[in-house]
Amino acid sequence: MRDLILKMAISIDGFVSDLDGRNSWMFGADQEAKAWGVDYIWNASLHIMGSRSFQAMANYWQTSTDQFAPPMNQIPKAVFSQQGQAILGNVNTAAAVDAVSANAATGQSVELQPGAASWAKAYVATGDLAEEIAKLKAGEGKPIIAHGGVSFARSLVAQGLVDQFALVVAPVVLGKGLPLFCELAAPMRLKLISSKAFPGGAVAQIYRPA
């Protein structure tokens, strides 16, 4: 059985994005925190996400040279979507090839990264959320890491499907935004497994349900 880990950046006041769904505030210049994040997501045998996050990530990571690109491209993916297999037609390498062409005139070198084709081969989950998660957990190997978006993550939390929370608390207060834990039927008690502070002020907090 594989554990399901929900990994998300979260503000000090508990939001995972602003009201418009933007989360640029989470990307700081703390290289130690980024290196920790890269190592953490390499420790997965499957990355799962909702449909909107999947489409956005697929079009971005296929040509990105960011340090997160290798694990995001090379580890298998699953997308939860009611569109069925049609969603894969919107996130194949065509978008990345278009990006290459668009940037060619600027002199920038943009290439498909190793593993980019894996996005078009993602497993598409269309059934009941709990049943689909149970099937994925039944596989062997490293943990499953869920990346969001917000609605998808809330559903995982509300249905008690998360075995471990990896919350990177950013040193920012948003005041208002989209919370993660707003659909709980009752308070959820968590046990702190580990905590690591980074020079830039972020803190990685790892919890399991108590």
Side-chain angles (χ1 to χ4, degrees):
M1 293 289 289
R2 297 185 286 188
D3 274 358
L4 173 60
I5 301 172
L6 177 60
K7 181 183 180 297
M8 301 195 81
I10 191 166
S11 68
I12 289 176
D13 49 348
F15 300 113
V16 292
S17 73
D18 66 19
L19 291 175
D20 295 319
R22 295 186 298 259
N23 52 19
S24 58
W25 50 269
M26 71 173 61
F27 301 112
D30 190 329
Q31 293 304 310
E32 187 174 325
K34 288 184 177 180
W36 178 90
V38 172
D39 287 343
Y40 197 88
I41 64 174
W42 265 122
N43 187 39
S45 57
L46 182 69
H47 289 166
I48 67 173
M49 58 207 77
S51 58
R52 280 181 288 185
S53 291
F54 179 80
Q55 291 176 310
M57 287 186 177
N59 291 330
Y60 176 75
W61 290 119
Q62 288 182 86
T63 57
S64 174
T65 56
D66 185 272
Q67 63 203 89
F68 284 93
M72 291 306 301
N73 283 323
Q74 295 175 34
I75 293 173
K77 268 75 65 179
V79 54
F80 285 70
S81 173
Q82 295 305 310
Q83 298 179 45
Q85 294 296 317
I87 192 172
L88 299 182
N90 298 325
V91 292
N92 57 27
T93 56
V97 171
D98 289 344
V100 173
S101 301
N103 284 280
T106 69
Q108 297 179 7
S109 178
V110 181
E111 300 178 349
L112 290 175
Q113 297 300 305
S118 68
W119 292 93
K121 301 175 183 177
Y123 171 73
V124 181
T126 59
D128 175 78
L129 178 62
E131 292 178 359
E132 291 280 12
I133 292 294
K135 286 192 294 184
L136 295 177
K137 284 185 177 183
E140 297 182 355
K142 295 179 180 181
I144 300 166
I145 292 183
H147 295 274
V150 178
S151 178
F152 177 61
R154 285 174 179 170
S155 296
L156 293 175
V157 174
Q159 295 192 40
L161 302 175
V162 178
D163 300 299
Q164 183 169 293
F165 295 87
L167 303 178
V168 181
V169 184
V172 61
V173 177
L174 297 181
K176 53 187 175 181
L178 301 178
L180 174 60
F181 297 103
C182 62
E183 296 184 2
L184 292 174
M188 174 187 293
R189 296 190 62 84
L190 302 174
K191 179 181 179 181
L192 181 65
I193 302 300
S194 66
S195 179
K196 182 174 178 60
F198 302 104
V203 181
Q205 305 273 52
I206 310 300
Y207 296 94
R208 295 186 74 90

